[in-house]
Amino acid sequence: MNKEASPIFKNMLAIGVGLIGGSVCLSARKRGLVRHVLGFSRRLETTHEALRLGLVDECITGPGDFNLRNVDAVVLSIPVQQYRKVLMDFLPVLPASCLIFDAGSTKTDVQAVVDELDLQFPGLRSRFVGVHPIAGGEKQGPSAASPDLFVDRNCIVCASDAVSEGTVAKVESFWNAMGARLSRMNPADHDDMFGAVSHLPHFLAFAYVAALLDTPNGERFMLEGGAGFRDFTRIAASSPEMWADIFQNNATAMLRSLSAFESTIADLRHAIEQGNRSEIEKTLTRASVFRKNWTQA
Amino acid sequence: MNKEASPIFKNMLAIGVGLIGGSVCLSARKRGLVRHVLGFSRRLETTHEALRLGLVDECITGPGDFNLRNVDAVVLSIPVQQYRKVLMDFLPVLPASCLIFDAGSTKTDVQAVVDELDLQFPGLRSRFVGVHPIAGGEKQGPSAASPDLFVDRNCIVCASDAVSEGTVAKVESFWNAMGARLSRMNPADHDDMFGAVSHLPHFLAFAYVAALLDTPNGERFMLEGGAGFRDFTRIAASSPEMWADIFQNNATAMLRSLSAFESTIADLRHAIEQGNRSEIEKTLTRASVFRKNWTQA
């Protein structure tokens, strides 16, 4: 591990050491951004796997661990619906000064949990920064972690007014040093955007595969799927637990986006049924022209 | 060009010399499967581009061309709705013995055109073989053609009872020599299958991008799309004309598949709105488990 750069954090606790959490650990250690990394997972096998794979320096079994009193940064990379319980468990034993940030895909819900817990843990709002690295994939677990997962990836930072500029900048410098390209948004705008361009496609891909599994011969048909099928459905292999959380926690924005989509498919179906060729081509052409010119930011 | 193998066809006419038609020409010439290839496109620039790129030996400007009297095989790689006109134009001047096959994505409609034209061109049914290579992509035109596009790709052959086994076998040997893996189906089963695993995903991808283009900020949102968005929407960049044909020509099977999908998204939306976690996870898990284990045939 490169120990030459001055570390941004001395003792980081990674809660969740799967694809994202494990990649934060690996990326930070490789670049000398942390001196020591503690890992925790609710599943003991996962924690041990992270240790064996060299993602973390040490693993802890829970909030009772002695080492927690020196932690100066916590990264949460767990399904969003576990945040409340995990924070309630760990906050009493973590130093009141430690920074906390996450890597989750929804932001309004997370800020609401933090705001609520701030009553019980005063000051929490001023040291929590929401982070959403646009990286990941359908592979899961510590073995999928990579030290370069965040290189050249966009990364959205959502911090409330209670967080000082210095604190936001410190978290940003950490992600920036791992290669991410940062931008700031407020949680509602973030959730609108990702409800439309990430959560809805996942919802549709899961639903499409599930619908075919319920169709006579659908399973056999899917075995003949080509490259189009392969790419369209790739995200349907994602974690059901993580995505059930996201669909529930960003339901308002995602279902609004789904309604717009349903209205477009109703129009397109109608055009096909009516043999309205110019209407069909108009819709397909708009989509095709846009997508041909689209490039990943 | 490899001239050592004994060619399967002496003079092949490629009607349509874009991605698919151009790849048939390149693949066949590279492997010595044809002695001479004539190319035709309704757009003169496309024909000239195919000639310049070395896809064809010679190009013709229409059915009036002198060279057509020696053609022993015709490959149609044009939007399906042009088949009737093109066949009506060319059949009067092509030898009554020449084999005709296509490379289109729908088959019931094509067989219907052939059956109907058989009244006017007796024997046509006995020398037409429907072929659907499961290959392609969103890139279009002669410049996208590749000599190995069909290698290890599945390829469905639909021949009516009127076609002799020897004729089907000859067409199959041609595609097999280009590297394709062949199987036979009847047109209705083919269209059910591809309505579900190819046409519906294309329909949904086009509709998804079009819906976002109609949403406030949707275009800006899409610029932030990550790898999931990229792969889910890749097929939305496909040819509007070709896909409008497919949606119209396989409307019955595709819209039946769309109805099943709509019913699944309605159930999943309801489960999210009701906070029915076990129902959400059940659907996502079935899809995820299937897709994780799926591999391209």
Side-chain angles (χ1 to χ4, degrees), chain A:
Chain A
M1 299 288 149
N2 171 13
K3 300 288 187 195
E4 287 172 38
S6 158
I8 295 173
F9 301 119
K10 290 191 183 70
N11 291 288
M12 183 172 82
L13 167 64
I15 299 181
V17 287
L19 167 63
I20 299 294
S23 295
V24 172
C25 295
L26 266 185
S27 302
R29 294 179 72 214
K30 178 185 168 185
R31 293 168 178 82
L33 309 178
V34 285
R35 195 167 288 163
H36 192 80
V37 177
L38 295 173
F40 172 76
S41 164
R42 68 193 148 144
R43 292 194 194 87
L44 202 60
E45 318 86 272
T46 307
T47 326
H48 289 163
E49 195 186 349
L51 192 62
R52 200 174 59 241
L53 291 166
L55 309 187
V56 300
D57 294 297
E58 206 172 335
C59 61
I60 63 165
T61 54
D65 198 280
F66 176 79
N67 282 320
L68 292 173
R69 63 175 188 172
N70 294 317
V71 164
D72 59 347
V74 176
V75 52
L76 291 176
S77 313
I78 54 178
V80 181
Q81 293 201 358
Q82 296 170 31
Y83 281 31
R84 182 192 310 270
K85 180 181 182 324
V86 158
L87 287 172
M88 298 266 291
D89 286 349
F90 280 90
L91 282 171
V93 296
L94 286 166
S97 59
C98 83
L99 267 180
I100 304 172
F101 53 90
D102 78 330
S105 302
T106 52
K107 288 287 160 267
T108 311
D109 56 337
V110 168
Q111 192 60 50
V113 169
V114 168
D115 290 350
E116 187 200 319
L117 289 179
D118 186 74
L119 301 172
Q120 204 174 331
F121 302 97
L124 177 62
R125 292 184 74 231
S126 70
R127 55 198 181 95
F128 181 89
V129 177
V131 180
H132 177 197
I134 316 305
E138 73 287 4
K139 289 192 185 135
Q140 295 151 38
S143 62
S146 147
D148 295 313
L149 187 69
F150 308 112
V151 171
D152 290 334
R153 295 312 182 112
N154 288 337
C155 184
I156 316 288
V157 174
C158 299
S160 78
D161 295 346
V163 187
S164 73
E165 177 57 31
T167 297
V168 182
K170 191 169 185 180
V171 171
E172 286 179 332
S173 72
F174 178 77
W175 285 90
N176 189 55
M178 293 194 292
R181 293 185 301 211
L182 296 157
S183 57
R184 296 185 189 183
M185 290 182 81
N186 73 55
D189 286 348
H190 170 279
D191 287 0
D192 268 354
M193 176 180 281
F194 289 96
V197 301
S198 170
H199 309 167
L200 182 59
H202 280 80
F203 176 95
L204 298 175
F206 279 120
Y208 168 75
V209 173
L212 269 177
L213 288 173
D214 285 335
T215 302
N217 297 316
E219 193 165 335
R220 186 170 67 77
F221 287 177
M222 285 193 278
L223 298 179
E224 297 295 324
F229 176 89
R230 179 195 65 209
D231 290 354
F232 183 79
T233 61
R234 182 179 61 78
I235 49 179
S238 302
S239 158
E241 183 184 11
M242 175 177 148
W243 284 94
D245 274 15
I246 292 171
F247 296 156
Q248 291 196 286
N249 286 25
N250 196 28
T252 309
M254 190 193 67
L255 294 179
R256 195 189 313 123
S257 197
L258 175 61
S259 297
F261 171 76
E262 286 174 318
S263 150
T264 302
I265 60 176
D267 290 347
L268 201 47
R269 173 199 278 273
H270 186 72
I272 291 171
E273 283 167 347
Q274 302 295 311
N276 187 342
R277 175 74 180 205
S278 69
E279 189 62 32
I280 302 170
E281 276 208 39
K282 205 172 75 184
T283 302
L284 304 194
T285 301
R286 289 172 59 227
S288 177
V289 167
F290 177 82
R291 185 54 182 79
K292 268 204 198 87
N293 294 321
W294 181 88
T295 46
Q296 210 167 345

Side-chain angles (χ1 to χ4, degrees), chain A residues 220-221 224, chain B residues 107 128-134 153-176 180-191 193-194:
Chain A
R220 186 170 67 77
F221 287 177
E224 297 295 324
Chain B
K107 288 289 160 263
F128 182 88
V129 177
V131 180
H132 177 196
I134 317 304
R153 295 312 181 110
N154 288 336
C155 184
I156 316 289
V157 173
C158 299
S160 78
D161 295 345
V163 187
S164 73
E165 176 57 31
T167 297
V168 183
K170 191 169 185 180
V171 172
E172 286 179 333
S173 72
F174 178 77
W175 284 90
N176 189 56
R181 293 184 302 210
L182 297 157
S183 56
R184 296 185 189 183
M185 289 182 81
N186 73 56
D189 286 348
H190 170 279
D191 286 0
M193 177 180 280
F194 290 95

Side-chain angles (χ1 to χ4, degrees), chain A residues 269 272, chain B residues 191-192 194-196 198-204 243 246-248 250-259:
Chain A
R269 173 199 278 273
I272 291 171
Chain B
D191 286 0
D192 268 353
F194 290 95
S198 170
H199 310 167
L200 181 59
H202 279 81
F203 176 95
L204 298 175
W243 284 96
I246 292 172
F247 296 155
Q248 291 197 288
N250 196 27
T252 309
M254 189 193 70
L255 294 179
R256 194 189 314 124
S257 196
L258 175 61
S259 297

